Amino acid sequence: MNLNLTGSNNTVEATDALYREGNDEDQMSKGSLSMAWYGVASAMFFVYIGAALAVAYGTKDALIGLALTIVAYGLINRVLSKYAINNRTTVALFSRTILGTAGSAIATIIFALVAIYYAVFEGSIVAYAFQVAFGGEMWMWYLIVVAYSTPLILGGARRFLDKLNGWLLPVYVGGLVAAVIWAGVQYGFSSTWLTQQPESGLAVTMGGPGWLATFAAYMGVWIMMMFTIDYASLGKRNDTKFHQRWSFGWAFYTLAYGFSAFVGIFLTFTIPGLEASETGIAGGIVSMMGILGLIVVFVSQTRINTANYYLGAANLKSFGERVFRIKMPNLVWVLTSSVIIFLLMLLPIVQYILLALAWQGVLVTAWVAIAMTHILITRGRAQEHGMLDDVHYRKFNNSGLIAWIVATLTGIVMLQLGLLNADLAGVGATWGPILTAVVASAVYAVLWTTTSHKTALVASAV
């Protein structure tokens, strides 16, 4: 349906309604979208983060925090996916509603940079696995990884990989199960990995119980909520319930976070000398299983990086077109994103992943809290279809921007507590993400109810 949305403001409600009358024939089937999304589940990062948190806080607290995380992620993404499917809205498009067009550009570039950062991290793991298996210079493996990953998100290749992901998922799951069995047979099965405790007890004054610190750490990966919105926008309205339950809900995070964490924890406490580091687990799997381990790492990282490369390039394009008015073919944006990824790989960026997660987690957590608050407070009324043109939106939505800035500053201050007093580092790390979300939601709700502009849309029926 081709509609011109650049007319007067009085046409907004009419054109919005017309878009909703259109069918979903051009949207992805539930099977294709689900398999494309489940490619994200195979990130080696999820194996690593689960193991790292168990080392830091003990297995029991890590698993309790993990269970709470899966529940929270399932509930939040149930709401976000329904909104995205119903309105065909992406992070960039929804940001116009809560932040305005200028604020949307900021959210878009943050999303692009985070996706690119994850592409760097996941790609570095593949390169490290290749080096463990075959030797050679790391820069060469970095180049090879970027060279084979880039074509996978282009047109027919990406559609082919969406289908292939359905076949690769069992390879990933089966590979990790094989790694667990292999490690158990070689080094012995025991239950000690379930009872591991941190070297020093975690006092309440140092931030709270370990399960709460674990939950807060997973809030640093709320970028998955943004991933959800961009993927869900490709779905059909008739498949909403399926996607809420199986694609973007608890089932996905039980596999992505739960299963991966269990594997990471078991391997870390079973394989002698294995470090719960960014590349340690992947290197351990390759060293133990040889070529089979390399295949597991290659499959897992290739699947997740199709999402990272795609979202990084797509949001980089959105930012460039909106801010700099640069119009280039999709291929140019993809190549630009890939060059940035390769250059960042040459830097020791992987060493700072936890610090980067903390900083980007503040920005992303605040955005997600505002988005959730907006959807819930409007109770589904006057939702704005993603196809509405930018001309109908103000540059700034004060309610969203003020809430985002205040919440972000709150989170940053909390993260810096350790610089003021080392004893407060745990307090900042645990409560920073939580307070960021609470402040963002509370400030936005207050401003939304006390101001006349409920959205950045100039002519709306809110």
Side-chain angles (χ1 to χ4, degrees):
M1 180 179 295
N2 295 318
L3 297 174
N4 180 14
L5 299 186
T6 59
S8 67
N9 289 332
N10 294 331
T11 67
V12 172
E13 288 82 2
T15 52
D16 184 52
L18 286 174
Y19 270 116
R20 295 178 190 283
E21 292 176 0
N23 58 49
D24 285 343
E25 290 181 357
D26 58 335
Q27 298 291 88
M28 294 180 68
S29 67
K30 60 183 179 183
S32 295
L33 178 55
S34 183
M35 283 300 97
W37 171 246
Y38 267 73
V40 180
S42 59
M44 193 61 65
F45 170 76
F46 299 151
V47 179
Y48 151 68
I49 193 65
L53 292 171
V55 170
Y57 306 116
T59 303
K60 179 181 177 181
D61 278 345
L63 294 181
I64 293 174
L66 176 63
L68 294 174
T69 294
I70 292 173
V71 172
Y73 269 68
L75 292 174
I76 293 173
N77 286 304
R78 181 179 182 87
V79 174
L80 296 179
S81 61
K82 180 179 180 179
Y83 188 95
I85 293 172
N86 187 51
N87 299 288
R88 293 195 187 185
T89 190
T90 62
V91 168
L93 297 176
F94 189 34
S95 293
R96 298 179 310 177
T97 296
I98 58 178
L99 303 174
T101 55
S104 173
I106 298 173
T108 301
I109 191 59
I110 290 173
F111 191 11
L113 292 177
V114 172
I116 287 173
Y117 183 89
Y118 275 106
V120 171
F121 173 76
E122 304 293 352
S124 296
I125 290 179
V126 179
Y128 180 76
F130 277 126
Q131 186 186 52
V132 170
F134 304 115
E137 297 293 332
M138 281 300 296
W139 70 265
M140 177 187 70
W141 291 117
Y142 289 152
L143 183 60
I144 290 174
V145 169
V146 173
Y148 84 72
S149 298
T150 300
L152 296 179
I153 64 169
L154 297 175
R158 178 169 172 263
R159 287 192 293 270
F160 168 74
L161 197 66
D162 288 344
K163 297 179 180 179
L164 186 61
N165 274 338
W167 296 97
L168 292 180
L169 181 60
V171 175
Y172 167 72
V173 175
L176 290 188
V177 171
V180 168
I181 297 174
W182 198 308
V185 171
Q186 185 166 341
Y187 302 106
F189 287 99
S190 72
S191 60
T192 56
W193 65 281
L194 287 171
T195 58
Q196 290 292 325
Q197 294 293 326
E199 294 183 1
S200 59
L202 185 69
V204 174
T205 55
M206 289 298 291
W211 60 264
L212 185 62
T214 297
F215 181 85
Y218 275 104
M219 290 183 71
V221 201
W222 271 21
I223 188 66
M224 293 294 289
M225 317 304 189
M226 287 183 159
F227 277 40
T228 292
I229 292 176
D230 271 25
Y231 267 77
S233 67
L234 304 173
K236 299 177 183 290
R237 293 190 185 98
N238 288 339
D239 299 330
T240 298
K241 292 295 184 182
F242 173 88
H243 288 309
Q244 284 183 296
R245 182 175 302 165
W246 301 109
S247 299
F248 305 108
W250 65 269
F252 172 82
Y253 288 102
T254 298
L255 173 65
Y257 286 179
F259 170 73
S260 298
F262 269 95
V263 171
I265 295 170
F266 178 84
L267 294 179
T268 298
F269 293 122
T270 299
I271 301 177
L274 183 65
E275 295 184 4
S277 64
E278 296 83 353
T279 55
I281 294 179
I285 291 176
V286 175
S287 297
M288 179 179 67
M289 300 175 63
I291 191 64
L292 293 179
L294 180 62
I295 292 174
V296 172
V297 174
F298 173 77
V299 167
S300 69
Q301 302 310 92
T302 299
R303 295 180 79 243
I304 177 63
N305 256 355
T306 59
N308 293 327
Y309 275 67
Y310 165 64
L311 294 173
N315 283 277
L316 189 65
K317 173 186 176 182
S318 178
F319 176 78
E321 291 182 347
R322 178 163 293 163
V323 176
F324 300 108
R325 309 296 180 185
I326 299 175
K327 298 289 185 180
M328 297 189 298
N330 290 337
L331 176 61
V332 177
W333 288 110
V334 170
L335 293 177
T336 300
S337 177
S338 295
V339 169
I340 294 173
I341 290 171
F342 174 69
L343 293 177
L344 289 177
M345 278 182 165
L346 299 177
L347 301 175
I349 191 171
V350 176
Q351 299 176 16
Y352 305 101
I353 185 168
L354 292 181
L355 178 62
L357 278 176
W359 280 85
Q360 65 93 359
V362 168
L363 291 162
V364 172
T365 299
W367 187 95
V368 172
I370 293 170
M372 278 290 293
T373 303
H374 178 85
I375 295 173
L376 295 176
I377 206 171
T378 58
R379 297 180 179 85
R381 293 179 285 109
Q383 296 182 10
E384 299 160 18
H385 199 284
M387 294 301 291
L388 292 175
D389 197 89
D390 282 1
V391 70
H392 296 302
Y393 287 85
R394 291 187 298 273
K395 286 188 176 181
F396 302 101
N397 180 20
N398 292 335
S399 298
L401 285 174
I402 292 174
W404 201 22
I405 292 172
V406 172
T408 298
L409 290 176
T410 300
I412 291 176
V413 169
M414 293 296 293
L415 290 177
Q416 302 309 306
L417 289 181
L419 297 179
L420 301 176
N421 186 335
D423 291 338
L424 297 178
V427 175
T430 298
W431 290 99
I434 297 173
L435 285 181
T436 297
V438 171
V439 170
S441 181
V443 173
Y444 185 78
V446 170
L447 294 177
W448 190 91
T449 56
T450 57
T451 58
S452 57
H453 295 308
K454 308 300 184 184
T455 170
L457 187 64
V458 176
S460 69
V462 177

